Coordinates of all heavy atoms in Angstrom, one line a residue:
M1 N -5.5 -28.9 -26.3 CA -6.3 -29.2 -25.2 C -5.5 -29.8 -24.0 O -5.6 -29.4 -22.9 CB -7.4 -30.2 -25.6 CG -8.3 -30.7 -24.5 SD -9.4 -32.0 -24.9 CE -8.3 -33.4 -25.0
L2 N -4.6 -30.8 -24.3 CA -3.8 -31.4 -23.3 C -2.8 -30.5 -22.7 O -2.5 -30.5 -21.5 CB -3.2 -32.7 -23.8 CG -4.1 -33.8 -24.2 CD1 -3.3 -35.0 -24.7 CD2 -5.0 -34.3 -23.0
A3 N -2.3 -29.6 -23.5 CA -1.3 -28.6 -23.1 C -2.0 -27.6 -22.1 O -1.5 -27.2 -21.1 CB -0.7 -27.8 -24.2
A4 N -3.3 -27.2 -22.4 CA -4.0 -26.3 -21.6 C -4.3 -27.0 -20.2 O -4.3 -26.4 -19.2 CB -5.3 -25.9 -22.3
L5 N -4.6 -28.3 -20.3 CA -4.8 -29.1 -19.1 C -3.6 -29.1 -18.2 O -3.6 -28.8 -17.0 CB -5.3 -30.5 -19.4 CG -5.7 -31.4 -18.3 CD1 -6.9 -30.8 -17.5 CD2 -6.0 -32.8 -18.8
K6 N -2.4 -29.3 -18.8 CA -1.2 -29.4 -18.1 C -0.8 -28.1 -17.5 O -0.3 -28.0 -16.4 CB -0.1 -29.8 -19.1 CG 1.3 -30.1 -18.4 CD 1.2 -31.4 -17.6 CE 2.6 -32.0 -17.3 NZ 2.5 -33.2 -16.6
A7 N -1.1 -26.9 -18.2 CA -0.8 -25.6 -17.7 C -1.8 -25.1 -16.7 O -1.6 -24.1 -16.1 CB -0.8 -24.6 -18.9
G8 N -2.9 -25.9 -16.5 CA -3.9 -25.5 -15.5 C -5.0 -24.5 -16.0 O -5.8 -24.0 -15.3
R9 N -5.0 -24.3 -17.3 CA -6.0 -23.4 -17.9 C -7.4 -24.2 -18.1 O -8.4 -23.5 -18.2 CB -5.6 -22.9 -19.2 CG -4.4 -21.9 -19.1 CD -4.1 -21.2 -20.4 NE -3.9 -22.1 -21.6 CZ -2.7 -22.6 -22.0 NH1 -1.6 -22.3 -21.3 NH2 -2.6 -23.3 -23.0
L10 N -7.3 -25.5 -18.1 CA -8.5 -26.3 -18.2 C -8.5 -27.3 -17.0 O -7.4 -27.7 -16.5 CB -8.6 -27.1 -19.5 CG -8.9 -26.5 -20.8 CD1 -8.8 -27.5 -21.9 CD2 -10.3 -25.9 -20.7
S11 N -9.6 -27.7 -16.5 CA -9.7 -28.7 -15.5 C -10.1 -30.0 -16.1 O -10.6 -30.1 -17.3 CB -10.7 -28.3 -14.4 OG -12.0 -28.4 -14.9
L12 N -9.9 -31.1 -15.4 CA -10.4 -32.4 -15.9 C -11.9 -32.4 -16.2 O -12.3 -32.9 -17.2 CB -10.0 -33.5 -14.9 CG -10.4 -34.9 -15.3 CD1 -9.6 -35.4 -16.5 CD2 -10.2 -35.9 -14.1
L13 N -12.6 -31.7 -15.4 CA -14.1 -31.6 -15.6 C -14.4 -30.9 -17.0 O -15.2 -31.4 -17.7 CB -14.7 -30.9 -14.5 CG -16.3 -30.7 -14.6 CD1 -17.0 -32.1 -14.6 CD2 -16.8 -29.9 -13.4
D14 N -13.6 -29.9 -17.3 CA -13.8 -29.1 -18.5 C -13.6 -30.1 -19.7 O -14.3 -30.1 -20.7 CB -12.8 -28.0 -18.6 CG -13.1 -26.9 -17.6 OD1 -14.2 -26.7 -17.2 OD2 -12.1 -26.2 -17.3
V15 N -12.5 -30.9 -19.6 CA -12.2 -31.8 -20.7 C -13.3 -32.9 -20.8 O -13.7 -33.2 -21.9 CB -10.8 -32.4 -20.5 CG1 -10.5 -33.4 -21.6 CG2 -9.7 -31.3 -20.6
L16 N -13.7 -33.5 -19.7 CA -14.7 -34.5 -19.8 C -16.0 -34.0 -20.3 O -16.8 -34.8 -20.9 CB -14.9 -35.1 -18.4 CG -13.7 -36.0 -17.9 CD1 -13.9 -36.4 -16.4 CD2 -13.4 -37.1 -18.8
D17 N -16.3 -32.7 -20.1 CA -17.6 -32.1 -20.5 C -17.5 -31.7 -22.0 O -18.6 -31.4 -22.5 CB -18.0 -30.9 -19.7 CG -18.5 -31.4 -18.3 OD1 -18.9 -32.6 -18.2 OD2 -18.6 -30.5 -17.4
R18 N -16.4 -31.6 -22.6 CA -16.2 -31.2 -24.0 C -16.9 -32.2 -24.9 O -16.9 -33.4 -24.6 CB -14.8 -31.1 -24.4 CG -14.1 -29.8 -23.8 CD -12.7 -29.7 -24.2 NE -12.5 -29.6 -25.6 CZ -11.5 -29.0 -26.2 NH1 -10.6 -28.5 -25.5 NH2 -11.4 -28.9 -27.5
D19 N -17.5 -31.7 -26.0 CA -18.2 -32.6 -26.9 C -17.6 -32.4 -28.3 O -18.3 -32.1 -29.3 CB -19.7 -32.3 -26.9 CG -20.5 -33.3 -27.7 OD1 -20.1 -34.5 -27.7 OD2 -21.5 -32.9 -28.3
D20 N -16.3 -32.6 -28.4 CA -15.6 -32.6 -29.7 C -14.8 -33.8 -29.9 O -14.5 -34.6 -29.0 CB -14.8 -31.3 -29.9 CG -13.7 -31.1 -28.9 OD1 -13.3 -32.2 -28.3 OD2 -13.2 -30.0 -28.6
D21 N -14.4 -34.0 -31.1 CA -13.6 -35.3 -31.5 C -12.3 -35.4 -30.7 O -11.9 -36.4 -30.3 CB -13.4 -35.4 -33.0 CG -14.7 -35.7 -33.7 OD1 -15.6 -36.3 -33.1 OD2 -14.7 -35.4 -34.9
T22 N -11.7 -34.2 -30.5 CA -10.4 -34.2 -29.9 C -10.5 -34.8 -28.5 O -9.7 -35.7 -28.0 CB -9.8 -32.8 -29.8 OG1 -9.6 -32.3 -31.1 CG2 -8.4 -32.8 -29.1
A23 N -11.5 -34.3 -27.7 CA -11.7 -34.8 -26.3 C -12.1 -36.2 -26.3 O -11.6 -37.0 -25.5 CB -12.7 -33.9 -25.6
R24 N -13.1 -36.6 -27.2 CA -13.6 -37.9 -27.2 C -12.6 -39.0 -27.6 O -12.7 -40.1 -27.1 CB -14.9 -38.0 -28.1 CG -16.1 -37.3 -27.6 CD -17.3 -37.6 -28.4 NE -17.1 -37.3 -29.8 CZ -17.6 -36.3 -30.4 NH1 -18.4 -35.4 -29.8 NH2 -17.4 -36.1 -31.7
Q25 N -11.7 -38.7 -28.4 CA -10.7 -39.6 -28.9 C -9.5 -39.7 -28.1 O -8.6 -40.6 -28.4 CB -10.4 -39.3 -30.4 CG -11.5 -39.4 -31.4 CD -12.0 -40.9 -31.4 OE1 -11.3 -41.8 -31.4 NE2 -13.4 -41.0 -31.5
T26 N -9.3 -38.9 -27.1 CA -8.1 -38.9 -26.2 C -8.2 -40.1 -25.3 O -9.2 -40.4 -24.7 CB -8.1 -37.6 -25.4 OG1 -8.1 -36.5 -26.3 CG2 -6.9 -37.6 -24.5
R27 N -7.1 -40.8 -25.2 CA -7.0 -42.0 -24.3 C -7.0 -41.5 -22.9 O -6.4 -40.5 -22.5 CB -5.8 -42.8 -24.6 CG -5.9 -43.4 -26.0 CD -4.9 -44.6 -26.2 NE -4.9 -45.1 -27.5 CZ -5.8 -46.0 -28.0 NH1 -6.7 -46.4 -27.2 NH2 -5.7 -46.4 -29.2
A28 N -7.6 -42.3 -22.0 CA -7.6 -42.0 -20.6 C -6.2 -41.8 -20.0 O -6.0 -40.9 -19.2 CB -8.4 -43.0 -19.8
L29 N -5.3 -42.6 -20.4 CA -3.9 -42.5 -19.9 C -3.3 -41.2 -20.3 O -2.7 -40.5 -19.4 CB -3.0 -43.7 -20.5 CG -1.6 -43.7 -20.0 CD1 -1.4 -43.8 -18.5 CD2 -0.8 -44.7 -20.8
H30 N -3.5 -40.8 -21.5 CA -2.9 -39.5 -21.9 C -3.6 -38.3 -21.2 O -2.9 -37.3 -20.9 CB -3.0 -39.3 -23.4 CG -2.3 -40.3 -24.2 ND1 -2.7 -40.8 -25.4 CD2 -1.1 -40.9 -24.0 CE1 -1.8 -41.7 -25.9 NE2 -0.8 -41.8 -25.0
L31 N -4.8 -38.5 -20.9 CA -5.6 -37.4 -20.2 C -5.0 -37.2 -18.8 O -4.7 -36.1 -18.4 CB -7.1 -37.8 -20.1 CG -8.0 -36.8 -19.5 CD1 -8.1 -35.5 -20.3 CD2 -9.4 -37.4 -19.3
L32 N -4.8 -38.4 -18.1 CA -4.3 -38.2 -16.7 C -2.8 -37.8 -16.7 O -2.4 -37.0 -15.8 CB -4.4 -39.6 -16.0 CG -5.8 -40.1 -15.7 CD1 -5.8 -41.3 -14.8 CD2 -6.6 -39.0 -15.0
Q33 N -2.1 -38.2 -17.7 CA -0.7 -37.8 -17.8 C -0.6 -36.3 -18.0 O 0.4 -35.7 -17.7 CB 0.1 -38.5 -18.9 CG 0.4 -39.9 -18.6 CD 1.0 -40.6 -19.8 OE1 0.6 -40.3 -21.0 NE2 1.8 -41.6 -19.6
S34 N -1.6 -35.7 -18.6 CA -1.6 -34.2 -18.8 C -2.0 -33.4 -17.6 O -2.0 -32.2 -17.7 CB -2.5 -33.9 -20.0 OG -2.0 -34.5 -21.2
L35 N -2.4 -34.0 -16.5 CA -2.7 -33.3 -15.3 C -1.4 -32.9 -14.6 O -0.5 -33.6 -14.6 CB -3.5 -34.2 -14.4 CG -4.9 -34.5 -14.8 CD1 -5.5 -35.6 -13.9 CD2 -5.8 -33.3 -14.8
P36 N -1.4 -31.6 -14.1 CA -0.2 -31.2 -13.4 C 0.2 -32.1 -12.3 O -0.7 -32.5 -11.5 CB -0.6 -29.8 -12.8 CG -1.8 -29.4 -13.7 CD -2.5 -30.7 -14.1
G37 N 1.4 -32.5 -12.2 CA 1.9 -33.3 -11.2 C 1.7 -34.8 -11.3 O 2.0 -35.6 -10.5
I38 N 1.1 -35.2 -12.4 CA 0.8 -36.6 -12.7 C 1.7 -37.1 -13.9 O 1.6 -36.5 -15.0 CB -0.7 -36.9 -13.0 CG1 -1.6 -36.4 -11.9 CG2 -0.9 -38.3 -13.3 CD1 -1.4 -37.1 -10.6
G39 N 2.5 -38.1 -13.6 CA 3.3 -38.6 -14.7 C 2.8 -40.0 -15.1 O 1.7 -40.4 -14.8
T40 N 3.6 -40.7 -15.9 CA 3.2 -42.0 -16.4 C 2.9 -43.0 -15.3 O 1.8 -43.7 -15.4 CB 4.2 -42.6 -17.4 OG1 4.5 -41.6 -18.4 CG2 3.8 -43.9 -18.0
V41 N 3.7 -43.1 -14.3 CA 3.6 -44.1 -13.3 C 2.3 -43.8 -12.5 O 1.5 -44.7 -12.2 CB 4.8 -44.2 -12.4 CG1 4.6 -45.1 -11.2 CG2 6.0 -44.6 -13.2
K42 N 2.1 -42.6 -12.0 CA 0.9 -42.2 -11.2 C -0.3 -42.4 -12.1 O -1.4 -42.8 -11.6 CB 1.0 -40.8 -10.7 CG 2.0 -40.6 -9.5 CD 1.9 -39.2 -9.0 CE 2.9 -39.0 -7.9 NZ 2.9 -37.7 -7.4
A43 N -0.3 -42.0 -13.3 CA -1.5 -42.1 -14.2 C -1.9 -43.6 -14.3 O -3.1 -43.9 -14.2 CB -1.2 -41.5 -15.6
R44 N -0.9 -44.4 -14.6 CA -1.2 -45.9 -14.7 C -1.7 -46.4 -13.4 O -2.7 -47.2 -13.4 CB 0.0 -46.6 -15.1 CG 0.3 -46.4 -16.6 CD 1.4 -47.3 -17.1 NE 1.5 -47.2 -18.5 CZ 2.7 -47.1 -19.2 NH1 3.8 -47.2 -18.5 NH2 2.7 -47.0 -20.5
R45 N -1.2 -46.0 -12.3 CA -1.6 -46.5 -11.0 C -3.1 -46.1 -10.7 O -3.9 -46.9 -10.2 CB -0.7 -46.0 -9.9 CG -0.9 -46.6 -8.5 CD 0.1 -46.1 -7.5 NE 1.5 -46.3 -8.0 CZ 2.5 -45.5 -7.7 NH1 2.2 -44.4 -7.0 NH2 3.7 -45.7 -8.2
H46 N -3.4 -44.8 -11.0 CA -4.8 -44.4 -10.8 C -5.8 -45.1 -11.7 O -6.8 -45.5 -11.2 CB -4.9 -42.9 -11.1 CG -4.3 -42.0 -10.0 ND1 -4.7 -42.1 -8.7 CD2 -3.3 -41.1 -10.1 CE1 -4.0 -41.2 -8.0 NE2 -3.2 -40.6 -8.8
L47 N -5.4 -45.4 -12.9 CA -6.3 -46.1 -13.8 C -6.5 -47.5 -13.3 O -7.6 -48.0 -13.4 CB -5.7 -46.2 -15.3 CG -5.7 -44.8 -16.0 CD1 -5.1 -45.0 -17.4 CD2 -7.2 -44.3 -16.2
V48 N -5.5 -48.2 -12.8 CA -5.6 -49.5 -12.3 C -6.5 -49.5 -11.1 O -7.4 -50.3 -10.9 CB -4.3 -50.2 -11.9 CG1 -4.4 -51.4 -11.1 CG2 -3.4 -50.5 -13.1
D49 N -6.3 -48.5 -10.2 CA -7.2 -48.4 -9.0 C -8.6 -48.2 -9.3 O -9.5 -48.6 -8.6 CB -6.7 -47.3 -8.1 CG -5.3 -47.5 -7.4 OD1 -4.9 -48.7 -7.4 OD2 -4.7 -46.6 -6.9
L50 N -8.9 -47.4 -10.4 CA -10.2 -47.1 -10.9 C -10.8 -48.2 -11.8 O -12.0 -48.1 -12.1 CB -10.2 -45.8 -11.6 CG -9.9 -44.6 -10.7 CD1 -9.7 -43.3 -11.6 CD2 -11.0 -44.3 -9.7
G51 N -10.0 -49.2 -12.2 CA -10.5 -50.2 -13.1 C -10.7 -49.7 -14.5 O -11.6 -50.2 -15.2
I52 N -9.9 -48.8 -14.9 CA -10.0 -48.3 -16.3 C -8.8 -48.7 -17.1 O -7.7 -48.6 -16.6 CB -10.1 -46.7 -16.2 CG1 -11.3 -46.2 -15.4 CG2 -10.1 -46.2 -17.7 CD1 -11.3 -44.7 -15.2
S53 N -9.1 -49.2 -18.3 CA -8.0 -49.7 -19.1 C -7.2 -48.5 -19.7 O -7.8 -47.4 -19.9 CB -8.6 -50.4 -20.3 OG -7.6 -50.7 -21.3
E54 N -5.9 -48.7 -19.8 CA -5.0 -47.6 -20.3 C -5.4 -47.2 -21.7 O -5.2 -46.1 -22.2 CB -3.6 -48.1 -20.3 CG -3.0 -48.2 -19.0 CD -1.5 -48.7 -19.1 OE1 -0.9 -48.5 -20.2 OE2 -1.0 -49.1 -18.1
T55 N -6.0 -48.1 -22.5 CA -6.4 -47.8 -23.9 C -7.8 -47.3 -24.0 O -8.2 -47.0 -25.1 CB -6.2 -49.1 -24.7 OG1 -7.1 -50.1 -24.2 CG2 -4.8 -49.6 -24.8
R56 N -8.5 -47.2 -22.9 CA -9.9 -46.6 -23.0 C -9.8 -45.2 -23.4 O -9.0 -44.4 -22.9 CB -10.5 -46.8 -21.6 CG -11.9 -46.1 -21.4 CD -13.0 -46.9 -22.0 NE -13.1 -48.2 -21.4 CZ -13.8 -49.2 -21.9 NH1 -14.4 -49.0 -23.0 NH2 -13.8 -50.4 -21.3
R57 N -10.7 -44.8 -24.3 CA -10.8 -43.4 -24.7 C -11.9 -42.7 -23.8 O -12.7 -43.3 -23.2 CB -11.2 -43.3 -26.2 CG -10.1 -43.9 -27.1 CD -10.5 -43.8 -28.5 NE -9.6 -44.5 -29.4 CZ -8.4 -44.0 -29.8 NH1 -8.1 -42.8 -29.5 NH2 -7.7 -44.7 -30.6
V58 N -11.8 -41.4 -23.8 CA -12.7 -40.6 -23.0 C -14.1 -40.9 -23.3 O -15.0 -41.0 -22.5 CB -12.4 -39.1 -23.1 CG1 -13.4 -38.2 -22.4 CG2 -11.0 -38.8 -22.5
Q59 N -14.4 -41.1 -24.6 CA -15.8 -41.3 -25.0 C -16.3 -42.7 -24.5 O -17.5 -42.9 -24.4 CB -16.0 -41.3 -26.5 CG -15.3 -42.5 -27.2 CD -15.4 -42.3 -28.8 OE1 -16.0 -41.4 -29.3 NE2 -14.8 -43.3 -29.5
G60 N -15.4 -43.6 -24.1 CA -15.8 -44.9 -23.7 C -15.9 -45.0 -22.2 O -16.2 -46.1 -21.6
L61 N -15.7 -43.9 -21.4 CA -15.8 -43.9 -20.0 C -17.2 -43.9 -19.6 O -18.0 -43.2 -20.1 CB -15.1 -42.7 -19.4 CG -13.6 -42.6 -19.5 CD1 -13.0 -41.3 -19.0 CD2 -12.9 -43.8 -18.8
G62 N -17.5 -44.7 -18.6 CA -18.9 -44.7 -18.1 C -19.1 -43.6 -17.1 O -18.2 -42.9 -16.7
E63 N -20.4 -43.4 -16.7 CA -20.7 -42.3 -15.8 C -20.0 -42.5 -14.4 O -19.5 -41.5 -13.9 CB -22.2 -42.2 -15.6 CG -22.9 -41.7 -16.8 CD -22.5 -40.3 -17.1 OE1 -22.3 -39.4 -16.2 OE2 -22.3 -40.0 -18.4
R64 N -19.9 -43.7 -13.9 CA -19.3 -43.9 -12.6 C -17.8 -43.7 -12.8 O -17.2 -43.1 -11.8 CB -19.5 -45.4 -12.2 CG -20.9 -45.6 -11.7 CD -21.0 -47.0 -11.1 NE -22.4 -47.3 -10.9 CZ -22.9 -48.5 -11.1 NH1 -22.1 -49.5 -11.4 NH2 -24.2 -48.8 -10.9
Q65 N -17.2 -44.1 -13.9 CA -15.8 -43.8 -14.1 C -15.5 -42.4 -14.1 O -14.5 -41.9 -13.5 CB -15.3 -44.6 -15.3 CG -15.3 -46.1 -15.2 CD -15.0 -46.8 -16.5 OE1 -15.3 -46.3 -17.5 NE2 -14.3 -47.9 -16.4
R66 N -16.3 -41.6 -14.8 CA -16.2 -40.2 -14.9 C -16.3 -39.5 -13.5 O -15.5 -38.7 -13.2 CB -17.2 -39.6 -15.9 CG -16.9 -39.8 -17.3 CD -18.1 -39.3 -18.1 NE -17.9 -39.5 -19.5 CZ -17.5 -38.6 -20.4 NH1 -17.2 -37.4 -20.0 NH2 -17.3 -38.9 -21.7
A67 N -17.3 -40.0 -12.8 CA -17.5 -39.4 -11.5 C -16.3 -39.7 -10.5 O -15.9 -38.8 -9.8 CB -18.8 -40.0 -10.9
R68 N -15.8 -40.9 -10.6 CA -14.6 -41.3 -9.8 C -13.4 -40.4 -10.2 O -12.6 -40.0 -9.3 CB -14.4 -42.8 -9.9 CG -15.5 -43.5 -9.2 CD -15.3 -45.0 -9.3 NE -14.2 -45.5 -8.5 CZ -13.7 -46.7 -8.6 NH1 -14.2 -47.5 -9.5 NH2 -12.7 -47.0 -7.9
L69 N -13.2 -40.2 -11.5 CA -12.1 -39.4 -11.9 C -12.2 -37.9 -11.4 O -11.3 -37.3 -10.9 CB -12.0 -39.3 -13.4 CG -11.3 -40.6 -14.1 CD1 -11.5 -40.5 -15.6 CD2 -9.9 -40.6 -13.7
I70 N -13.4 -37.4 -11.4 CA -13.7 -36.0 -11.0 C -13.5 -36.0 -9.4 O -13.0 -35.0 -8.9 CB -15.1 -35.5 -11.4 CG1 -15.1 -35.4 -12.9 CG2 -15.4 -34.2 -10.7 CD1 -16.5 -35.2 -13.5
E71 N -13.9 -37.0 -8.7 CA -13.6 -37.1 -7.3 C -12.2 -37.1 -7.0 O -11.7 -36.4 -6.0 CB -14.3 -38.3 -6.7 CG -15.7 -38.3 -6.4 CD -16.2 -39.6 -5.8 OE1 -15.4 -40.3 -5.2 OE2 -17.4 -40.0 -6.1
L72 N -11.4 -37.8 -7.7 CA -10.0 -38.0 -7.5 C -9.2 -36.7 -7.9 O -8.3 -36.3 -7.3 CB -9.5 -39.1 -8.3 CG -8.1 -39.7 -8.0 CD1 -7.9 -40.1 -6.6 CD2 -7.8 -40.9 -8.9
F73 N -9.7 -36.0 -9.0 CA -9.1 -34.8 -9.5 C -10.1 -33.7 -9.6 O -10.5 -33.3 -10.7 CB -8.4 -35.1 -10.8 CG -7.4 -36.2 -10.8 CD1 -7.7 -37.4 -11.4 CD2 -6.2 -36.0 -10.3 CE1 -6.8 -38.4 -11.3 CE2 -5.2 -37.0 -10.2 CZ -5.6 -38.3 -10.8
P74 N -10.5 -33.1 -8.4 CA -11.6 -32.1 -8.5 C -11.1 -30.8 -9.2 O -9.9 -30.5 -9.1 CB -11.9 -31.9 -7.0 CG -10.7 -32.3 -6.3 CD -10.1 -33.4 -7.1
P75 N -12.0 -30.1 -9.7 CA -11.6 -28.8 -10.3 C -11.1 -27.9 -9.2 O -11.6 -27.8 -8.1 CB -12.9 -28.2 -10.9 CG -13.9 -29.4 -11.0 CD -13.4 -30.3 -9.9
R76 N -10.0 -27.1 -9.6 CA -9.4 -26.2 -8.6 C -10.2 -24.9 -8.6 O -10.5 -24.4 -9.7 CB -7.9 -26.0 -8.9 CG -7.2 -27.3 -8.8 CD -5.8 -27.1 -9.1 NE -5.1 -28.4 -9.2 CZ -3.9 -28.6 -8.7 NH1 -3.2 -27.7 -8.3 NH2 -3.4 -29.8 -8.8
T77 N -10.4 -24.3 -7.5 CA -11.1 -23.0 -7.4 C -10.2 -21.9 -7.3 O -9.0 -22.0 -6.9 CB -12.1 -23.0 -6.3 OG1 -11.4 -23.3 -5.1 CG2 -13.2 -24.0 -6.5

């Protein structure tokens, strides 16, 4: 899943909408690091700006946090 995200075959919205254990158990930091062009430093900076803990898992993200992530990293058309 993370490799597909990095390769651009999946969008962040696709991953957030998934309802399987792999997606739900993925840490927010690892999710952002898997986005094209985002490394460890940028991922951590975005999480701090959004008020999301590095250890937060996707299943633990609130609706506002999800919406803010999608705003920041919209699906590419």
Side-chain angles (χ1 to χ4, degrees):
M1 175 189 73
L2 295 179
L5 184 62
K6 187 73 161 178
R9 294 189 306 268
L10 286 177
S11 70
L12 180 63
L13 180 60
D14 294 333
V15 175
L16 291 175
D17 284 344
R18 285 178 63 153
D19 191 31
D20 60 22
D21 287 338
T22 302
R24 289 191 304 255
Q25 294 299 318
T26 301
R27 295 198 185 275
L29 178 63
H30 295 146
L31 183 66
L32 292 187
Q33 287 174 328
S34 296
L35 291 168
I38 303 295
T40 304
V41 173
K42 284 185 182 178
R44 285 188 172 136
R45 191 175 306 141
H46 286 303
L47 289 177
V48 168
D49 291 344
L50 295 171
I52 300 172
S53 171
E54 290 181 17
T55 59
R56 173 79 58 195
R57 295 183 189 274
V58 171
Q59 70 183 0
L61 293 174
E63 287 301 316
R64 288 187 194 145
Q65 291 172 326
R66 286 174 180 259
R68 291 177 71 193
L69 281 171
I70 293 167
E71 280 179 27
L72 194 56
F73 303 104
R76 296 178 189 219
T77 55

